[in-house]
Amino acid sequence: MSQNLANVQRLVIKIGSALLVEQESGALHRTWLNALADDVAALVRRGVEVMIVSSGAIAVGRRHLGFTQPTLRLEENQAAAATGQIRLAHAYQETLARHDITVAQILLTLDDTEERRRHLNARATMSTLLRLGTVPVINENDTVATSEIRFGDNDRLAARVAAMMNADALILLSDIEGLYSADPRQNLEAAFIPEVPVITAAIEAMAGAPPTGHSSGGMVTKLAAARIAVGAGCRMAIADGRIMNPLAAIEAGGRATWFLSQVEPRTARKRYIAGSLKPSGSLVVDAGALKALRGGKSLLPAGVTAVEGAFQRGDAVTVRTAEGAEIGRGLAAYGADEARRIIGHKSREIEAILGYRGREELIHRDDLALTEGSRS
Ligand code: GLU
C-alpha cells in the first residue's frame, strides 16, 4: 500500500468529465463507474470518510438536450448541467447502493466555500453526512454560477471542499497522468515528477498553458488546487483515471504526482482562524469554561458570561477571561443577539429560548484556536 493513502481518514476524490462520460453520445461509462465504486466501497469499509467531487453534468446533459454545437452559451450550459446532474447523481446512487452505501448530493458554488456563514452550514451538513456513513457527491451548482462555467473549476472546488472539511488527502482523477518537467507531448526528455514537497516557481513553470479541449482544466487548475489543498494541510495527488480501479492502483503505489503538505489539516485550519480573520466581537468565559476549553472541549453557552460587539453567525470572535486576557479565537455558531439570549443557559434550553434547535455549542472545538498552547 502506498504510504500516501495508508493513513488517510478523510479523502476527497475528484472525477473529471472525460473519465465518466462518452463524449459523442453523452452516455456514462457504467463499467468504469462500477469499478470506481468498488474502490470507494473498499475505502469506506475500512473506515475512510470519502467525498466525491464529480464533473460530468454538462457532458451528460448536453446530449439529452440535443445540443450539437461545439460551444454553448452560459444558459445552455446551465440547462445542460441541470439535466445531466440528476442523471449523474442517480448513477452514483445506483452504483454505491450495490455496496449498501448511501449517496448524498451536494451542490456548491466556490462562494459557498468562502463566505463564512454558508461555509459553516455546508461544513456542518457534510460532517453529519460523513458521520452517518454516507458518501457526499458534490458538484458545482452550475445553475447559479455567476461567471462562465469553466472546466477545471471543479479542481479548485474539490480543493476548497478538502480544505473546508479538513481532509487529509485529495485525489484528482482525470486524463492527465501527473506532472512532468515539460510537456511530454512536445518534449521526449520530459521527466515524470512523482513527488512535490513544495510548490516552487520551477514547479509552477512546469504546468505550462492549459490544453484546448473541454474535459480538463489542464495542469494549471490542478496546480491551483494543489496550492489550496496543501495550504490547508491536505496532500494532493494527480493521477490518470483512465484505467479500471484507479484508486486501488494508487494504493498499490501506482503512478501519481503527490503534492505533500507540511502541516496537519487541523493545525492549518486553526492557524487560519487564529491569524487571518478579523474578530468582530468577543465572548467572555468563566473559569469552568476556561478549563473545559484547555481540555480541548467546545465552548458552550453555559460558560459564557458576556457577549461584546456585533457579529453574525460564522464571524470570528475572540474568547477572553473576565480579566480581559485573550485565550483564543473562534467562529461563532450564533450571531451576537442570539448569543446574548442563550449565554448562561444549558444547551438543551436553546430551543425554548430561540424557538429553534440550533447548535449545542457557541463555538465548536474545530472552529476554535486557543492562543496559548493547548490540546485544542
Ligand atoms: N460542473 C461541471 C459539470 O459537472 C464541470 C466543471 C469542471 O469540470 O470543472 O459538468
Side-chain angles (χ1 to χ4, degrees):
M1 202 175 348
S2 142
Q3 229 190 338
N4 286 310
L5 265 192
N7 302 319
V8 171
Q9 284 171 358
R10 195 170 266 191
L11 172 67
V12 178
I13 302 160
K14 188 263 170 175
I15 297 168
S17 299
L19 301 177
L20 263 179
V21 188
E22 214 277 304
Q23 300 302 339
E24 285 306 306
S25 66
L28 283 159
H29 290 141
R30 295 274 174 178
T31 324
W32 182 88
L33 183 58
N34 285 343
L36 179 92
D38 296 347
D39 284 359
V40 169
L43 289 162
V44 170
R45 268 196 301 275
R46 70 163 209 249
V48 181
E49 295 175 317
V50 181
M51 286 166 276
I52 298 174
V53 175
S54 181
S55 301
I58 294 174
V60 169
R62 58 186 294 152
R63 299 298 167 210
H64 274 277
L65 295 177
F67 292 138
T68 46
Q69 61 275 41
T71 49
L72 300 184
R73 294 200 307 270
L74 175 60
E75 61 273 24
E76 290 170 336
N77 265 326
Q78 289 170 318
T83 311
Q85 179 60 31
I86 199 164
R87 290 177 165 77
L88 196 62
H90 190 234
Y92 278 103
Q93 184 185 354
E94 262 183 2
T95 190
L96 281 162
R98 295 180 303 121
H99 298 280
D100 287 325
I101 294 174
T102 300
V103 164
Q105 175 182 260
I106 308 261
L107 298 178
L108 287 176
T109 63
L110 282 171
D111 291 348
D112 294 331
T113 63
E114 275 169 2
E115 208 266 332
R116 281 200 303 285
R117 265 171 290 288
R118 281 186 274 160
H119 173 126
L120 225 55
N121 283 345
R123 192 175 138 84
T125 306
M126 283 198 266
S127 303
T128 305
L129 288 167
L130 292 174
R131 199 164 55 241
L132 295 169
T134 72
V135 170
V137 171
I138 302 152
N139 196 354
E140 183 150 19
N141 189 355
D142 290 325
T143 307
V144 295
T146 45
S147 54
E148 282 309 314
I149 298 166
R150 285 190 303 266
F151 291 100
D153 275 357
N154 272 2
D155 291 338
R156 274 189 301 153
L157 183 68
R160 293 272 182 79
V161 167
M164 178 165 85
M165 297 306 294
N166 293 4
D168 17 49
L170 164 64
I171 298 179
L172 301 185
L173 292 178
S174 73
D175 52 3
I176 292 181
E177 282 190 294
L179 186 66
Y180 281 86
S181 57
D183 188 338
R185 289 164 303 187
Q186 287 161 17
N187 189 337
L188 288 174
E189 308 277 281
F192 188 78
I193 315 273
E195 200 170 272
V196 178
V198 182
I199 305 172
T200 57
I203 294 287
E204 304 265 2
M206 291 176 195
T212 50
H214 68 297
S215 67
S216 147
M219 195 50 78
V220 173
T221 63
K222 289 181 172 47
L223 265 192
R227 276 193 300 273
I228 297 168
V230 163
C234 175
R235 58 192 182 280
M236 188 190 102
I238 301 174
D240 195 342
R242 287 172 299 185
I243 50 168
M244 286 300 209
N245 301 94
L247 297 173
I250 293 173
E251 280 211 273
R255 180 176 257 214
T257 297
W258 279 96
F259 294 81
L260 307 183
S261 174
Q262 313 300 332
V263 286
E264 292 292 310
R266 273 174 66 81
T267 315
R269 182 171 165 82
K270 302 237 159 176
R271 271 190 209 159
Y272 158 75
I273 290 171
S276 335
L277 303 169
K278 198 170 155 291
S280 31
S282 47
L283 302 175
V284 181
V285 300
D286 65 19
L290 183 57
K291 193 156 168 265
L293 296 182
R294 287 189 174 138
K297 299 267 176 18
S298 296
L299 178 61
L300 301 178
V304 179
T305 55
V307 175
E308 292 164 358
F311 53 88
Q312 295 189 34
R313 188 176 132 61
D315 283 345
V317 292
T318 55
V319 178
R320 59 176 191 79
T321 62
E323 291 74 42
E326 176 172 332
I327 54 169
R329 291 181 178 199
L331 306 182
Y334 290 90
D337 293 343
E338 291 185 324
R340 285 193 177 95
R341 292 165 61 197
I342 60 174
I343 57 169
H345 289 277
K346 296 264 181 261
S347 296
R348 59 169 188 276
E349 297 171 320
I350 293 176
E351 188 171 4
I353 299 169
L354 298 181
Y356 70 92
R357 193 159 163 218
R359 305 277 147 79
E360 295 208 334
E361 55 282 321
L362 240 173
I363 301 179
H364 189 276
R365 53 190 296 226
D366 289 348
D367 297 330
L368 182 71
L370 292 198
T371 322
E372 345 159 348
S374 83
R375 296 205 284 116
S376 88

